[in-house]
Amino acid sequence: MTVHILALVGSLRAGSHNRQLAETAVRLAPEGVGIEVYEGLADLPFYNEDLDVEGAVPAAATALREATLRADAVLLFSPEYNGTIPAVLKNAVDWLSRPYGVGALKGKPLAVIGTAFGQYGGVWAQDEARKAARIAGAAVLDDLTLSVPGSVTRFAETHPADDAEVTARLGEVLAGLSASVTAPAGV
């Protein structure tokens, strides 16, 4: 069995340290685990119930929902913008929360990690992302965390893949997330 993890990156910037962290996760994926970094978040319109009607759902939203439904688990990479979750990531969670009660995140194991410039590594944003994902129906794994502070200086000349502390902790998150799929909670 291959565990399929869908990675959603909350920064659209090409040189984003969170994107680099997601790319590192792809390289570090344990045997039997595949990680897909989703590339369509920039195409999502802002969530609007008037757009979310059967037969008229925007193609970008349908693609995100289908990719999430195909995944065994979801990994959110969240920077921190003005002390909270980036709009692009919150918007993705909003689209995935619908239809209400049966959205694509319902019951899906999910972890939130990331890096940010501040001294706490984006923990406020990551906490907000966990809260939103939980309300959207995901099975949020609160014990799987990774908040890397000082991203601008820490990764100025070093890629996250070359940071031993980051790769070790990221490996633990990936192992825990994949284990949550193969051994459901409560087992």
Side-chain angles (χ1 to χ4, degrees):
M1 170 184 160
T2 298
V3 173
H4 177 214
I5 297 173
L6 183 66
L8 303 180
V9 180
S11 173
L12 301 177
R13 188 172 62 85
S16 159
H17 296 122
N18 279 282
R19 174 158 295 281
Q20 291 175 357
L21 194 59
E23 292 164 353
T24 301
V26 171
R27 288 187 250 166
L28 292 176
E31 186 174 333
V33 176
I35 300 174
E36 171 192 356
V37 179
Y38 191 76
E39 297 294 344
L41 294 185
D43 301 325
L44 275 176
F46 282 112
Y47 184 78
N48 177 339
E49 286 185 43
D50 292 340
L51 299 176
D52 194 7
V53 293
E54 191 158 340
V57 175
T62 299
L64 175 62
R65 287 173 174 171
E66 289 172 351
T68 304
L69 287 168
R70 284 191 307 271
D72 298 306
V74 178
L75 184 56
L76 304 182
F77 291 81
S78 184
E80 189 168 275
Y81 292 173
N82 299 309
T84 193
I85 184 173
V88 67
L89 199 52
K90 175 63 168 68
N91 190 44
V93 170
D94 289 346
W95 278 105
L96 294 171
S97 73
R98 304 288 193 219
Y100 181 76
V102 294
L105 288 176
K106 184 158 178 72
K108 189 110 17 198
L110 181 141
V112 181
I113 65 173
T115 184
F117 176 66
Q119 65 182 334
Y120 303 113
V123 294
W124 292 343
Q126 293 163 31
D127 286 345
E128 291 293 317
R130 283 183 197 92
K131 178 176 116 181
R134 183 176 290 106
I135 292 169
V140 176
L141 304 167
D142 291 315
D143 58 332
L144 298 179
T145 63
L146 172 58
S147 301
V148 184
S151 61
V152 172
T153 54
R154 185 169 187 157
F155 301 128
E157 295 182 24
T158 302
H159 192 282
D162 299 321
D163 184 311
E165 178 188 5
V166 169
T167 57
R169 292 183 56 212
L170 182 55
E172 292 169 6
V173 169
L174 297 175
L177 187 54
S178 60
S180 76
V181 171
T182 56
V187 174

